Amino acid sequence: MEYISAKLSDYEFDRISGLVYSLCGISLGSGKKELVTARLAKRLNELKLQSYDAYLKYLSGDESGYELLQLIDVITTNVTSFFREMHHFDYIRERILPEYRIKSEKIRVWSAGCSSGEEPYSMAVLLFEEIGNLMLRDVKILATDISTNILTKAKEGVYDKQLVNGVPKMLLNKYFDAFTDRDEYGRTLYNFKVKSDIRSVVRFARLNLMEDWPMKGPFKIIFCRNVMIYFDKKTQEKLVGKYHALLETGGHLFIGHSENLSSISHSFKYVQPGVYLKC
Amino acid sequence: MESLKRRLMLTGAFIVFFPMLITIGALYITGALKTPVLLAVAGGAIVGLAAALLAVEKIMASAVKLNSAVEKISKGETVKIVGADRTDYFYLIIENLNQMINNCDSFKKDIGTVMDSLINGDCTFNVNLSQYDGNYRVALEKIIESCKKVNEPLSVMNGVIDKVSKGDITSERINVETRGAMTSLKNNTNSLLNTIDNLLNEVKVVCIATIFEGKLDKRANVSLFSGRWARLATGINDIVNTFVKPLTLSSDYITSISCGNIPAKITEEYKGDFNILKNSFNLCIGNLQSMIKEVNDLTHAAADGNLKKRGNADKYEGAYREIISGINQTLDSVINPVSKMNEYLVQLSKGEIAGKIEDDCKGDFCELKDSLNKLITTLDNLLNEVKVVCIATIFEGHIDKRANVSLFSGRWAKLASGINDLINAFANPLKMSASYITQIGSGTIPPVITEEYKGDFNLIKNSFNSCIGNLNNLTVEVEALTHAATDGKLKVRGNADKFEGVYREIIVEINSTLDAIVNPLNVAADYVAKISRGEVSEKITAEYKGDFNDIKLNLNSLINTVDTMLGEIKTICIAVIFEGKLDKRTSVSQFSGRWAKLASGINDIVNSLVNPLKVSSDYLLKISHGEIPSKITEEYKGDFNEIKSSINTCLDTLTSLIITDGGAALQAAADKDLTARVKKTYSGLYDKMKENINSLIENLEEMFKNIGANAENVSSSSSQISKGAQSLAQGASEQASALEEVSSSLHQMNSMARQNAANAKEGQNLTTSARSSTERGVDSMKKMSVAINQIKDSSNNTAKILKTIDEIAFQTNLLALNAAVEAARAGDAGKGFAVVADEVRNLAMRSAEAAKNTARMIEESVKYANNGVGINEEVMKNLDEINGQVKKVNEFMSEISAASEQQSEGINQINTAVAQMNQVTQQNAAYSEESASASQELTYQADQMKNMILQFKLSSVKTRVMNGGFDYNSAPGYNRRPIIQPIAPPAAHAPHMKKDFGEYENYQASSKSIEADPKKVIPFEDDTNVLHEF
Ligand SMILES: C[S@@+](CC[C@H](N)C(=O)[O-])C[C@H]1O[C@@H](n2cnc3c(N)ncnc32)[C@H](O)[C@@H]1O
């Protein structure tokens, strides 16, 4: 086995970033060249290709489209965690859910760009905690992402000890099953699997936000956190408009802590950082 | 249906065919039938069967039709069965069904007609009953009858309710005979009528109490009503309350203000216009209070003789200021003429009316003088009027002469009309007295007059007195009686005992006359008193004569007039107070004399109240709507003028504060000029408001300056952060790439180490097997050595045997020699023997020879064997050495293998660490991306804010600094690039790419086809299903 230390030329980088942009809206500035090189190196290694040029040829020759999915998989940044940006969940618990403890209205939540599932599972845990047994209620969470690999991981719902750090001990005991496993070198892994009740309210599906959305809505809550930062303003504006249309009146859109709708035009009412209301 | 038909036909066939077959068979067998006959019968049977089948078919068709028709009828559909002819099996049934359908149809229509007319309230029910028989007829009759029963009470009720709705609430109640729900409807309607009646009564009571009796506490008795009627009654009470409270309060306040009592401010809560009215009152009260204190101080100073003291006009504004400065000026100009005025006033207070004040005077004093003169004139006029009336009435006997009330205003007018009233009230008795006295005076029994009279009366008196001096006593008595009469002491009578003869008779006569006068007078007085108390009693019916009859008639007509007046006032009150029709007035023409005046007086009162009220309310409304109307220019008097000037002052202040001064400052601020301020001086709350506006604008300006400065700071530091975050992101990316390399080479190292371990293990195995081979060699060597020794042993033994053989051969040789010797001795005899002996000797010699050879060979082989043993030992030694070294190699090999495994393990651990590092790096990349995005947002917003602030005109130098401060465009290009601006496809933004455009296009095209592909290639139905769930 030999490490491929191929160089990514500007031309190749531009071609790849153009492809990625048209494919999933992620805009890769020139500052991302190293990142792209590093992430694509995995593919080159796996395919035993010697150059990025060869990779591009391989990519355009792959009629199955499989490699395109792999490209998206390696390019996307999947960083996430349980109860990330706790204040959003606090807001939902204090300001949205109280009235649904009694009202048995249906609840629809969408986690757009759910990555490895921490976000929708956190939401499901919150709903169980606040509303009680969701099995008796019409409550469903849609969790979508463009990356098929990350979705497979998400559906499994298995997380390493370190990954569940953000989950309060009490909730961890209540909603996760602890088990041990061995890695390829035979070392012990301490894993946690999300319980089936929680998993059953979360429905995973691959959805490229750039393509048509088959959902009819309306949703009460839409999460699209730390997804649109990889998109340009034009794309962001288009997506935010579509989120608005899919939300019910009084529904909320949650975006990431570093995002802001102030520089795009939209019809939401600002509530607090990252929280927007459809009036 | 089809299957039923088939079954029926089959069954029919069997029923017809079998018995026939059996019968025919039986007949045939018994010989009763001949073959041709049998055939004929069989043929007939088959034809019959066919006919029967056809018939069944037809019946079934009709049955199906019939069935579907009946099914429709049962569902309520109207159908007509057609196509039935007389040949049809069900002809009659169908005809009857059609008849039934027809009947049902028209029955349905007729019921519809009945219902429609019932709904329309028309009870003619145009239905021809005769077309029905039997139950249809009975049913329809019953329906019409019950409809009529329903309708009859309804129309009666309708009539009553119609009347009620037109306001005609009679005592009439619905009295029709009803049943069930109708009864309760009737009862409810009646009780509704009762309630309306009650309500009207209550309203009447309240109106009368409030408006005519002035009892403002009277309210409708809510407990008489229930439900919405109770609410209506409460509503009426509330309306009365809302009007009465502010009305009484306003009236109290206006009265006390007009009386010079400045009441405390109104604290009660009012709404709408009343509140505005209240506020104007309070403003007015405030100003008045403070002014009164000022004036009081001045008065005290004046009372203390300190005539130098003046009011502080600066404390006031507008009219109040004018009043104070006017007072001051008055004081100035008053000091000199004050004593003069005083004299007049003293005179006036004593009732002495001096001539007009002719002295020169100035300013307000002049007004005072004029007022005084006016007062003097008024008093003069009054006196003159009274004089004229008195002269006319008393001296000239013109009892119809009255004071001209229209010459006076206000209380003076009241005084004048009071005098008139007095004269009126006493006109008739005076007339009678006069005529009585005239009668006596004309010669019969002249009375004595002691009172002072003037003019003609005096002459009469004098002539009386001179003519009947001796009738003094009588005169005195009569005078006393007259006095008593004028004093209203109508019980007083002349003392007849004091007189004798004709005088006594006179007195008695006078007394009885007085009685005759006094009785009807008492009655009249009683009535008038009643009327004055507002008790309008019934007309006087007692019989009186002459003038008393006139009195009676007049009283009756007075009662009439009062009644009418009450009606008028009621109308006005209702119009003005309850209906808000402020223009409603009494028709004066239906009254005459004083009543006409009273009526027009009422109109005037309403006018004078309504007009300023309307104007005030109009103004207050406009002000409350944010309009500032132009000042009130109409003239008002007294308190109304106060209200007017208060409103005008208020308008001035508001104009300035809202439009010219304060408004302008706010407008400027609204137009983003924050340097403008409210400049004029205001008092009280207005000043507070001015201060507030100014401090608001100042605070805004200050805040904007700060925001501007902060925005600049934020902008520059956030672009700093942005740059930092960008390079962090880049660093993280590079780190990720380096880690990728490390991880990859670690992978290789790991596999090499594993390979080493494997090789070492192999070597170890090999050496192990080598060791065992050498060990086996040593073993065989040892065995060989034993074998050689054994060979040596057996060689030695063989040598021993050979020695024995040699000894035997030697002996044999000796023996053979001996035998030859012997044979030679024996000659010929021995000759044969000698040959044998020779032979034996040869053999012995050869044996010895062979033994010698063998021995030599054995010796040789022993020598070899010995040699072999030596070599063997050497080989063994060598093998032993090899064995030891292989053992060592083996140990090395296992050490190498263990080390390689350890190495591999180590590399694994490093790999895990690198994977974790990779995760952290990915995280860093994501987070730095996020913070770059956030700081870019921040820069954008700070710039936005700066631009917004730059639109404001601020008064300090900071603006300049800001203008030159931050240049957005000078920020590094990267700052603006990746997120705020969309990245165009590379071909479009990279000029050097243009030559490859075609290739890129191709590439795009292929990528596009790929883009569409994933759905096809990878089974996504699951995904699509899930997405469709939402
Ligand atoms: C940084 S993760 C955010 C995860 C999670 N929402 C959170 O805030 O913790 C961004 C995710 O967006 C997904 N993503 C990127 N582009 C996408 C696209 N065009 N359509 C759908 N998902 C996309 C990536 O696969 C990745 O999992």
Side-chain angles (χ1 to χ4, degrees):
Chain A
M1 197 163 61
E2 188 192 344
Y3 179 70
I4 291 136
S5 51
K7 285 288 285 175
L8 179 66
S9 72
D10 281 349
Y11 169 68
E12 286 152 358
F13 172 70
D14 283 343
R15 275 171 62 160
I16 284 171
S17 62
L19 179 62
V20 168
Y21 178 74
S22 72
L23 215 58
C24 54
I26 297 177
S27 100
L28 297 164
S30 57
K32 299 280 175 58
K33 195 172 153 190
E34 284 301 325
L35 188 76
V36 172
T37 314
R39 287 182 175 176
L40 279 189
K42 281 185 211 154
R43 293 309 306 151
L44 264 64
N45 273 330
E46 206 146 293
L47 297 168
K48 304 217 168 14
L49 293 173
Q50 299 299 319
S51 69
Y52 288 95
D53 186 51
Y55 180 70
L56 283 173
K57 286 213 173 73
Y58 177 85
L59 190 60
S60 47
D62 175 29
E63 292 283 298
S64 73
Y66 174 80
E67 190 49 38
L68 221 44
L69 290 183
Q70 298 309 308
L71 170 68
I72 290 168
D73 271 356
V74 296
I75 288 297
T76 48
T77 303
N78 303 116
V79 173
T80 184
S81 59
F82 280 104
F83 294 105
R84 189 175 184 191
E85 292 193 57
M86 194 57 184
H87 61 103
H88 283 167
F89 294 96
D90 288 340
Y91 178 91
I92 293 169
R93 188 180 58 237
E94 283 157 23
R95 307 276 295 277
I96 300 180
L97 294 185
E99 66 175 295
Y100 297 103
R101 280 186 203 136
I102 335 149
K103 248 205 270 180
S104 65
E105 201 179 292
K106 73 167 187 179
I107 299 176
R108 293 287 178 271
V109 180
W110 179 20
S111 164
C114 63
S115 191
S116 36
E118 281 91 331
E119 185 175 271
Y121 286 139
S122 299
M123 185 63 209
V125 165
L126 182 69
L127 283 169
F128 261 90
E129 274 299 287
E130 293 306 310
I131 295 191
N133 192 355
L134 299 184
M135 300 296 109
L136 310 170
R137 298 276 301 260
D138 187 8
V139 173
K140 268 194 263 176
I141 300 171
L142 173 66
T144 64
D145 203 284
I146 194 173
S147 161
T148 42
N149 290 349
I150 207 80
L151 272 179
T152 313
K153 218 174 188 180
K155 275 182 212 167
E156 238 171 66
V158 173
Y159 299 94
D160 177 76
K161 193 174 67 189
Q162 262 154 2
L163 294 176
V164 294
N165 265 346
V167 185
K169 198 112 212 117
M170 193 266 286
L171 297 183
L172 194 63
N173 290 336
K174 204 163 158 190
Y175 298 108
F176 291 75
D177 290 317
F179 69 100
T180 51
D181 202 357
R182 286 188 184 279
D183 67 1
E184 49 179 319
Y185 310 118
R187 281 169 304 185
T188 309
L189 296 173
Y190 297 93
N191 282 337
F192 291 85
K193 188 173 175 83
V194 179
K195 282 196 173 158
S196 66
D197 274 3
I198 295 283
R199 270 184 292 127
S200 70
V201 295
V202 183
R203 312 281 283 125
F204 288 99
R206 182 189 180 270
L207 178 70
N208 182 350
L209 292 173
M210 294 299 120
E211 290 165 7
D212 285 343
W213 303 352
M215 300 86 77
K216 295 178 295 297
F219 291 96
K220 202 171 284 305
I221 292 169
I222 294 179
F223 290 99
C224 184
R225 306 189 302 168
N226 307 307
V227 177
M228 292 189 290
I229 56 163
Y230 301 100
F231 303 161
D232 60 37
K233 292 276 166 207
K234 194 183 74 192
T235 313
Q236 288 178 13
E237 198 167 294
K238 200 180 89 192
L239 289 187
V240 168
K242 284 172 87 178
Y243 291 138
H244 191 269
L246 267 190
L247 275 170
E248 62 182 46
T249 309
H252 285 79
L253 171 69
F254 290 86
I255 61 172
H257 62 102
S258 69
E259 298 169 270
N260 199 301
L261 301 187
S262 66
S263 49
I264 65 171
S265 76
H266 62 86
S267 332
F268 282 102
K269 182 179 175 284
Y270 169 82
V271 182
Q272 62 180 56
V275 185
Y276 290 84
L277 173 71
K278 176 179 179 176
C279 298
Chain B
M1 209 62 212
E2 240 353 89
S3 70
L4 175 70
K5 191 171 105 183
R6 216 175 305 126
R7 247 198 343 256
L8 252 166
M9 274 159 75
L10 270 173
T11 322
F14 275 113
I15 289 168
V16 176
F17 203 57
F18 261 113
M20 198 187 292
L21 216 64
I22 288 163
T23 321
I24 294 166
L27 287 175
Y28 184 66
I29 290 162
T30 50
L33 270 177
K34 298 277 176 292
T35 310
V37 180
L38 176 70
L39 287 176
V41 169
I46 288 164
V47 170
L49 180 63
L53 285 179
L54 270 174
V56 169
E57 176 87 29
K58 200 167 175 197
I59 290 170
M60 282 322 294
S62 298
V64 168
K65 210 193 311 174
L66 198 63
N67 189 46
S68 80
V70 171
E71 205 170 274
K72 278 188 185 156
I73 292 167
S74 77
K75 282 179 191 158
E77 287 171 40
T78 316
V79 286
K80 186 104 187 162
I81 309 164
V82 284
D85 52 36
R86 279 176 194 286
T87 63
D88 203 312
Y89 291 87
F90 298 100
Y91 176 70
L92 269 183
I93 296 178
I94 288 171
E95 278 298 279
N96 285 338
L97 267 178
N98 278 343
Q99 181 64 36
M100 187 182 99
I101 290 162
N102 278 343
N103 282 345
C104 278
D105 227 21
S106 70
F107 190 58
K108 198 172 72 188
K109 267 188 210 130
D110 279 337
I111 288 180
T113 319
V114 170
M115 289 304 154
D116 280 349
S117 47
L118 181 64
I119 289 162
N120 295 331
D122 163 20
C123 271
T124 47
F125 303 123
N126 257 331
V127 174
N128 180 10
L129 279 176
S130 64
Q131 63 177 305
Y132 300 106
D133 303 315
N135 278 336
Y136 281 123
R137 184 175 197 145
V138 174
L140 205 53
E141 270 169 3
K142 273 263 154 63
I143 289 170
I144 291 175
E145 194 188 328
S146 40
C147 284
K148 278 189 174 146
K149 277 230 175 85
V150 171
N151 200 53
E152 188 189 16
L154 275 180
S155 65
V156 173
M157 272 178 238
N158 194 33
V160 174
I161 291 168
D162 190 39
K163 272 192 193 166
V164 173
S165 76
K166 285 175 184 154
D168 178 4
I169 300 166
T170 52
S171 51
E172 183 187 335
R173 293 293 178 264
I174 303 159
N175 224 352
V176 240
E177 198 188 318
T178 49
R179 266 185 233 164
M182 274 298 164
T183 311
S184 66
L185 178 61
K186 181 185 83 183
N187 291 343
N188 287 344
T189 313
N190 281 344
S191 82
L192 171 68
L193 289 175
N194 286 341
T195 312
I196 294 175
D197 243 12
N198 284 346
L199 188 69
L200 275 178
N201 276 340
E202 274 305 301
V203 172
K204 218 188 266 168
V205 169
V206 174
C207 279
I208 289 168
T210 316
I211 302 162
F212 303 111
E213 299 172 12
K215 291 181 198 155
L216 295 178
D217 308 331
K218 182 66 186 179
R219 292 292 177 275
N221 184 359
V222 177
S223 66
L224 286 178
F225 305 98
S226 60
R228 279 183 89 69
W229 294 107
R231 274 209 247 154
L232 185 58
T234 323
I236 289 168
N237 284 348
D238 288 351
I239 293 172
V240 175
N241 282 343
T242 46
F243 275 94
V244 161
K245 258 206 210 149
L247 261 179
T248 48
L249 199 71
S250 306
S251 133
D252 284 357
Y253 268 66
I254 291 174
T255 314
S256 54
I257 291 173
S258 72
C259 290
N261 296 334
I262 310 299
K265 293 201 176 179
I266 308 171
T267 50
E268 270 163 280
E269 282 298 315
Y270 292 100
K271 280 169 193 152
D273 294 347
F274 288 122
N275 200 37
I276 295 171
L277 207 57
K278 169 191 133 180
N279 289 343
S280 342
F281 267 125
N282 280 348
L283 187 68
C284 176
I285 290 166
N287 284 339
L288 278 174
Q289 274 171 345
S290 124
M291 203 171 73
I292 279 162
K293 198 179 165 288
E294 194 78 32
V295 175
N296 255 356
D297 288 352
L298 281 178
T299 316
H300 279 305
D304 294 348
N306 177 9
L307 295 176
K308 297 264 154 59
K309 167 97 178 171
R310 293 291 176 273
N312 182 6
D314 292 345
K315 285 198 331 206
Y316 303 94
E317 287 183 300
Y320 295 115
R321 187 181 204 148
E322 266 176 43
I323 290 175
I324 295 296
S325 54
I327 288 173
N328 286 346
Q329 276 168 23
T330 312
L331 280 175
D332 288 344
S333 56
V334 127
I335 291 165
N336 283 334
V338 79
S339 52
K340 191 118 198 156
M341 292 294 157
N342 205 30
E343 277 170 33
Y344 278 96
L345 287 171
V346 168
Q347 275 183 325
L348 281 172
S349 73
K350 283 179 187 159
E352 293 166 20
I353 299 169
K356 287 200 179 176
I357 307 163
E358 302 292 346
D359 304 66
D360 273 350
C361 49
K362 282 173 203 157
D364 292 342
F365 185 66
C366 210
E367 271 176 41
L368 184 57
K369 185 191 89 181
D370 287 351
S371 306
L372 268 174
N373 279 345
K374 239 183 242 166
L375 180 63
I376 289 165
T377 314
T378 312
L379 280 174
D380 248 4
N381 284 346
L382 187 69
L383 219 60
N384 275 340
E385 274 302 302
V386 172
K387 233 187 246 166
V388 168
V389 173
C390 280
I391 288 167
T393 319
I394 303 165
F395 302 112
E396 297 172 10
H398 299 313
I399 287 171
D400 301 330
K401 180 72 184 175
R402 292 288 178 276
N404 182 0
V405 178
S406 66
L407 288 176
F408 306 98
S409 60
R411 275 183 103 56
W412 297 111
K414 271 201 213 163
L415 187 56
S417 69
I419 290 165
N420 284 348
D421 288 353
L422 190 67
I423 293 166
N424 282 342
F426 285 90
N428 282 339
L430 264 177
K431 224 179 188 173
M432 270 186 252
S433 302
S435 78
Y436 186 69
I437 290 164
T438 314
Q439 268 182 19
I440 299 166
S442 63
T444 330
I445 309 154
V448 173
I449 303 157
T450 51
E451 265 174 292
E452 285 292 319
Y453 292 106
K454 279 169 188 165
D456 294 347
F457 279 99
N458 205 31
L459 287 179
I460 294 169
K461 181 194 118 182
N462 282 345
S463 60
F464 268 133
N465 282 351
S466 62
C467 281
I468 29 171
N470 51 352
L471 293 179
N472 264 345
N473 283 337
L474 190 65
T475 314
V476 168
E477 195 66 28
V478 173
E479 213 170 83
L481 280 174
T482 315
H483 268 296
T486 38
D487 288 352
K489 292 171 188 160
L490 299 177
K491 296 250 164 66
V492 178
R493 295 288 177 274
N495 185 358
D497 296 345
K498 284 208 297 199
F499 301 96
E500 281 172 8
V502 70
Y503 297 118
R504 186 183 197 132
E505 272 172 42
I506 289 170
I507 294 297
V508 170
E509 197 72 13
I510 289 173
N511 280 351
S512 67
T513 311
L514 278 175
D515 284 346
I517 296 168
V518 162
N519 275 346
L521 265 181
N522 272 343
V523 172
D526 205 37
Y527 266 81
V528 172
K530 273 189 187 164
I531 293 169
S532 73
R533 284 202 301 272
E535 296 164 19
V536 181
S537 52
E538 271 151 46
K539 297 197 177 174
I540 308 166
T541 47
E543 283 293 321
Y544 292 103
K545 278 171 190 155
D547 287 346
F548 289 120
N549 203 39
D550 283 351
I551 292 177
K552 182 189 103 180
L553 291 178
N554 286 342
L555 267 175
N556 279 347
S557 91
L558 174 66
I559 290 167
N560 250 345
T561 315
V562 168
D563 258 354
T564 320
M565 188 60 101
L566 265 181
E568 273 305 303
I569 291 175
K570 211 191 264 176
T571 320
I572 293 187
C573 282
I574 290 169
V576 173
I577 299 167
F578 296 106
E579 298 170 13
K581 294 182 193 155
L582 295 181
D583 303 330
K584 179 75 187 174
R585 296 289 181 275
T586 319
S587 150
V588 177
S589 64
Q590 58 180 310
F591 300 100
S592 58
R594 269 191 75 73
W595 293 108
K597 273 204 206 154
L598 183 56
S600 67
I602 288 167
N603 283 348
D604 289 351
I605 290 171
V606 173
N607 280 343
S608 60
L609 284 172
V610 162
N611 282 346
L613 259 178
K614 262 180 164 173
V615 173
S616 313
S617 135
D618 225 42
Y619 268 69
L620 293 173
L621 186 71
K622 277 184 183 161
I623 292 172
S624 78
H625 284 326
E627 248 177 79
I628 300 182
S630 52
K631 288 195 186 184
I632 306 175
T633 47
E634 275 163 273
E635 279 300 315
Y636 293 101
K637 279 170 192 152
D639 295 340
F640 289 123
N641 204 38
E642 291 287 332
I643 293 176
K644 168 191 140 180
S645 57
S646 302
I647 289 177
N648 280 347
T649 317
C650 178
L651 285 176
D652 279 345
T653 314
L654 285 176
T655 309
S656 164
L657 197 60
I658 294 173
I659 300 168
T660 52
D661 189 16
L666 285 172
Q667 184 60 48
D671 292 341
K672 300 178 178 176
D673 173 7
L674 295 179
T675 55
R677 295 286 183 276
V678 187
K679 292 192 188 78
K680 288 194 193 152
T681 28
Y682 298 92
S683 61
L685 275 175
Y686 294 121
D687 189 49
K688 186 96 197 132
M689 193 157 149
K690 166 192 158 178
E691 261 172 42
N692 287 345
I693 292 174
N694 280 346
S695 74
L696 169 78
I697 300 176
E698 262 154 37
N699 287 344
L700 274 178
E701 192 186 14
E702 190 59 32
M703 197 172 81
F704 275 31
K705 281 181 206 162
N706 288 342
I707 292 174
N710 289 344
E712 196 182 325
N713 283 342
V714 170
S715 169
S716 75
S717 41
S718 70
S719 74
Q720 211 64 27
I721 295 173
S722 172
K723 267 185 265 175
Q726 290 292 353
S727 59
L728 199 65
Q730 189 151 353
S733 302
E734 278 158 25
Q735 201 179 359
S737 138
L739 274 173
E740 193 63 42
E741 235 164 283
V742 169
S743 145
S744 179
S745 44
L746 277 172
H747 237 72
Q748 285 179 69
M749 268 166 72
N750 192 17
S751 56
M752 264 147 65
R754 277 155 181 270
Q755 190 63 47
N756 285 348
N759 290 346
K761 205 144 218 158
E762 187 96 332
Q764 199 187 359
N765 289 343
L766 287 175
T767 49
T768 308
S769 69
R771 228 181 102 193
S772 69
S773 315
T774 49
E775 264 163 13
R776 275 205 308 279
V778 170
D779 222 37
S780 338
M781 284 301 162
K782 275 184 182 155
K783 279 184 192 152
M784 198 161 92
S785 161
V786 171
I788 290 171
N789 279 337
Q790 278 172 353
I791 292 169
K792 240 168 78 181
D793 281 355
S794 50
S795 302
N796 284 341
N797 286 343
T798 312
K800 271 183 208 157
I801 295 165
L802 284 175
K803 215 175 177 179
T804 313
I805 292 170
D806 193 45
E807 278 171 12
I808 294 170
F810 180 71
Q811 294 225 333
T812 308
N813 192 31
L814 283 181
L815 285 173
L817 255 161
N818 198 38
V821 169
E822 288 286 328
R825 264 184 227 169
D828 286 333
K831 230 183 163 181
F833 193 70
V835 170
V836 172
D838 204 30
E839 268 314 295
V840 170
R841 202 183 140 234
N842 265 344
L843 274 172
M845 295 255 298
R846 268 173 40 209
S847 288
E849 194 63 26
K852 249 181 214 148
N853 278 345
T854 306
R856 207 185 57 239
M857 274 160 72
I858 285 175
E859 211 164 304
E860 224 164 76
S861 75
V862 164
K863 214 172 91 195
Y864 285 136
N866 275 341
N867 214 1
V869 166
I871 290 168
N872 189 16
E873 253 158 34
E874 216 165 287
V875 168
M876 249 171 67
K877 214 174 118 201
N878 284 344
L879 276 177
D880 260 353
E881 244 166 55
I882 288 171
N883 202 14
Q885 269 155 4
V886 165
K887 212 171 171 182
K888 258 187 202 158
V889 168
N890 194 11
E891 272 162 22
F892 285 148
M893 282 297 177
S894 85
E895 265 169 34
I896 288 171
S897 160
S900 293
E901 249 156 41
Q902 266 175 11
Q903 193 185 11
S904 165
E905 175 65 16
I907 291 169
N908 274 342
Q909 272 169 19
I910 294 173
N911 238 340
T912 319
V914 168
Q916 272 169 11
M917 269 162 76
N918 197 28
Q919 200 177 322
V920 173
T921 314
Q922 294 291 343
Q923 230 162 44
N924 285 347
Y927 293 158
S928 54
E929 194 70 56
E930 283 159 19
S931 67
S933 148
S935 52
Q936 265 167 23
E937 283 297 342
L938 201 60
T939 315
Y940 174 85
Q941 282 173 24
D943 286 345
Q944 199 96 318
M945 200 149 79
K946 248 170 48 196
N947 287 338
M948 266 149 63
I949 300 259
L950 279 177
Q951 290 169 3
F952 285 88
K953 190 179 163 201
L954 305 175
S955 61
S956 103
V957 281
K958 279 217 164 154
T959 326
R960 226 186 324 116
V961 176
M962 259 167 49
N963 275 330
F966 181 78
D967 178 10
Y968 188 83
N969 294 324
S970 72
Y974 188 78
N975 225 7
R976 284 174 285 129
R977 205 187 150 219
I979 296 218
I980 292 176
Q981 286 179 349
I983 297 190
H989 75 78
H992 72 274
M993 296 286 298
K994 282 217 165 118
K995 59 177 191 290
D996 297 325
F997 193 76
E999 194 185 342
Y1000 180 71
E1001 283 279 86
N1002 288 342
Y1003 184 70
Q1004 280 279 341
S1006 74
S1007 79
K1008 235 178 209 149
S1009 71
I1010 297 166
E1011 193 182 355
D1013 264 354
K1015 286 181 211 152
K1016 261 190 266 163
V1017 180
I1018 294 155
F1020 281 150
E1021 295 99 85
D1022 267 6
D1023 291 332
T1024 318
N1025 288 344
V1026 169
L1027 292 172
H1028 276 297
E1029 278 174 33
F1030 287 86

